[in-house]
């Protein structure tokens, strides 16, 4: 039998529960800081290629290609960008490094915008958000951060949040989510370790409806035994949620660790097939020099990055913005 735990710890003085939405410049600064390592490596390398180039030619483009690969854009994305730049060079020419940088920014932004789509919120709450991903990517931590993000009204009016600890295979995951519930001052539904995840989710859906909660965030298991087992478990959870809440889950967010780079894409593909993923939360973006993985995700998974984790603090999660990301990357 699942039960609820009420977070009692008040918000810290420097983390008010009703903190106003950040000004745009503050948001840009946070994104810029998050991609510092990638920008320092990427921009410095590009500058060295184009510094003495008065007109971009094939040699310049050949030298640019390995730099895109080194930033972890991936082979398909790099090939697409290079082909478009070559076509532009053949048609009208590219006059110097400034124009090349401008065109590169436009290419990268177009890739990200090509998979972007508005989030479809349900007309009647609760909105169910299911968090999926491999253990160790920061899934449970991200669940807690999103709870604080929504209750603080960072993306609009403050909303009530309920957490569901459906990763019942690890006692540590349940305990960790309890801590985040307390830090975020939200309620949590849990069951004992080894319990049925779908049963915990059923209780959470019922509780969210009874309490008129606006958002239910579900932390799921990240085990990867076999693709079949994973699909069965996630399908069962989706059906369970839909029994009580039409259209649930309304969002399924795949949590990916940016520091794993291309290696993380293989695991990500498995989850996108099994869980009908609608978007990505990219954690530890501040901890890698290969932030180009954002572009690889768009090209190879055909999914938008919705949020980015940029640190260890409760408030270190921001909505992803393609323009801010590209401008920060090629500042």
């Amino acid at each position: 039998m699942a039960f609820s735990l009420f977070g009692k710890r008040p918000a810290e003085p420097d983390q008010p529960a009703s903190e106003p939405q950040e000004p745009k410049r503050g948001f840009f600064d946070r994104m810029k800081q998050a991609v510092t390592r990638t920008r320092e490596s990427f921009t410095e390398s590009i500058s060295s290629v184009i510094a003495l180039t008065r007109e971009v030619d094939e040699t310049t483009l050949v030298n640019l290609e390995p730099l895109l690969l080194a930033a972890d854009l991936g082979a398909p994305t790099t090939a697409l960008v290079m082909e478009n730049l070559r076509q532009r060079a053949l048609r009208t020419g590219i006059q110097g490094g400034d124009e090349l940088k401008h065109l590169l920014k436009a290419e990268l932004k177009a890739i990200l915008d090509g998979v972007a789509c508005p989030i479809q919120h349900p007309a009647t709450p609760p909105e169910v958000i299911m968090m999926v991903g491999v253990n160790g990517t920061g899934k449970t931590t991200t669940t807690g951060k999103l709870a604080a993000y929504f209750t603080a009204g960072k993306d609009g009016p403050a909303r009530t949040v309920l957490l569901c600890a459906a990763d019942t295979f690890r006692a540590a995951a349940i305990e960790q989510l309890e801590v985040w519930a307390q830090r975020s001052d939200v309620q949590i539904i849990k069951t004992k370790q080894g319990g049925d995840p779908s049963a915990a989710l059923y209780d959470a859906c019922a509780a969210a409806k009874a309490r008129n909660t606006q958002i239910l965030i579900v932390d799921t298991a990240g085990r990867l035994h076999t693709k079949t087992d994973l699909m069965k478990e996630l399908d069962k959870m989706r059906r369970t949620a839909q029994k009580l809440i039409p259209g649930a889950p309304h969002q399924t967010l795949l949590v990916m660790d940016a520091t794993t780079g291309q290696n993380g894409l293989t695991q990500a593909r498995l989850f996108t097939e099994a869980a009908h993923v609608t978007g990505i939360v990219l954690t530890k973006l501040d901890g890698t020099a290969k932030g180009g993985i954002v572009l690889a995700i768009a090209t190879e998974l055909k999914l938008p990055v919705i949020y980015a984790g940029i640190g260890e603090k409760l408030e270190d999660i921001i909505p992803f913005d393609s323009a801010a990301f590209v401008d920060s990357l090629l500042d």
Side-chain angles (χ1 to χ4, degrees):
M1 175 71 65
F3 64 90
S4 64
L5 171 73
F6 294 80
K8 297 295 185 183
R9 195 165 98 177
E12 297 293 337
D14 61 343
Q15 297 174 355
S18 58
E19 182 180 334
Q21 192 168 356
E22 294 180 34
K24 189 170 183 63
R25 182 60 189 171
F27 166 78
F28 178 81
D29 286 342
R30 297 188 77 189
M31 179 63 78
K32 187 174 181 179
Q33 183 178 1
V35 299
T36 295
R37 294 183 62 185
T38 303
R39 183 178 64 254
E40 288 176 348
S41 172
F42 191 45
T43 303
E44 182 179 342
S45 299
I46 289 179
S47 297
S48 66
V49 169
I50 65 178
L52 301 177
T53 302
R54 301 183 66 178
E55 182 172 352
V56 176
D57 56 17
E58 179 61 22
T59 300
T60 307
L61 296 178
V62 167
N63 291 333
L64 176 63
E65 188 167 3
L67 304 182
L68 301 181
L69 291 170
D72 233 24
L73 269 71
T77 308
T78 298
L80 175 63
V81 171
M82 296 306 302
E83 176 61 22
N84 289 342
L85 290 176
R86 282 192 172 93
Q87 290 300 320
R88 172 59 182 263
L90 287 172
R91 289 196 307 270
T92 62
I94 300 175
Q95 302 301 317
D98 288 342
E99 185 177 5
L100 176 61
K101 182 183 284 189
H102 174 76
L103 292 172
L104 181 58
K105 278 187 176 183
E107 288 293 334
L108 299 184
K109 188 174 184 299
I111 290 171
L112 296 174
D113 292 345
V115 296
C117 56
I119 297 173
Q120 300 297 322
H121 302 288
T124 303
E127 178 175 356
V128 180
I129 302 175
M130 187 175 291
M131 310 295 291
V132 301
V134 180
N135 290 335
T137 57
K139 179 165 46 62
T140 301
T141 296
T142 300
T143 300
K145 287 181 179 180
L146 282 177
Y149 180 85
F150 293 134
T151 58
K154 293 292 185 69
D155 63 341
R159 286 171 284 176
T160 53
V161 175
L162 177 65
L163 298 181
C164 174
D167 184 355
T168 61
F169 297 91
R170 294 188 303 131
I174 299 173
E175 294 167 1
Q176 184 183 8
L177 196 62
E178 286 183 289
V179 172
W180 280 105
Q182 292 171 359
R183 293 183 64 187
S184 306
D185 196 23
V186 301
Q187 301 175 11
I188 182 173
I189 298 294
K190 67 173 187 176
T191 189
K192 64 182 179 180
Q193 180 185 2
D196 183 358
S198 293
L201 177 56
Y202 185 94
D203 288 346
C205 289
K209 291 182 66 176
R211 301 172 192 177
N212 294 317
T213 303
Q214 290 167 299
I215 298 179
L216 170 62
I217 310 179
V218 186
D219 183 28
T220 68
R223 301 166 306 120
L224 278 177
H225 291 328
T226 68
K227 179 179 175 179
T228 301
D229 288 344
L230 179 65
M231 290 184 69
K232 285 182 178 178
E233 184 174 298
L234 294 175
D235 280 341
K236 181 181 178 182
M237 294 184 72
R238 279 202 307 273
R239 291 196 306 271
T240 297
Q242 289 169 359
K243 287 178 182 178
L244 291 179
I245 302 174
H250 305 96
Q251 295 187 63
T252 300
L253 301 181
L254 172 64
V255 181
M256 289 183 62
D257 181 344
T259 63
T260 62
Q262 293 289 317
N263 292 333
L265 285 176
T266 300
Q267 296 172 335
R269 289 188 188 95
L270 175 61
F271 276 98
T272 56
E273 294 170 4
H276 302 282
V277 173
T278 59
I280 303 292
V281 181
L282 194 62
T283 64
K284 307 175 188 177
L285 183 59
D286 59 315
T288 180
K290 296 188 175 183
I293 189 66
V294 173
L295 282 303
I297 289 169
T299 302
E300 299 181 47
L301 300 182
K302 307 298 182 186
L303 287 170
V305 174
I306 308 297
Y307 300 101
I310 58 171
E312 300 299 324
K313 297 179 182 178
L314 186 68
E315 67 274 14
D316 285 342
I317 190 166
I318 58 175
F320 184 82
D321 181 271
S322 61
F325 175 78
V326 172
D327 285 343
S328 299
L329 196 64
L330 290 165
D331 187 25

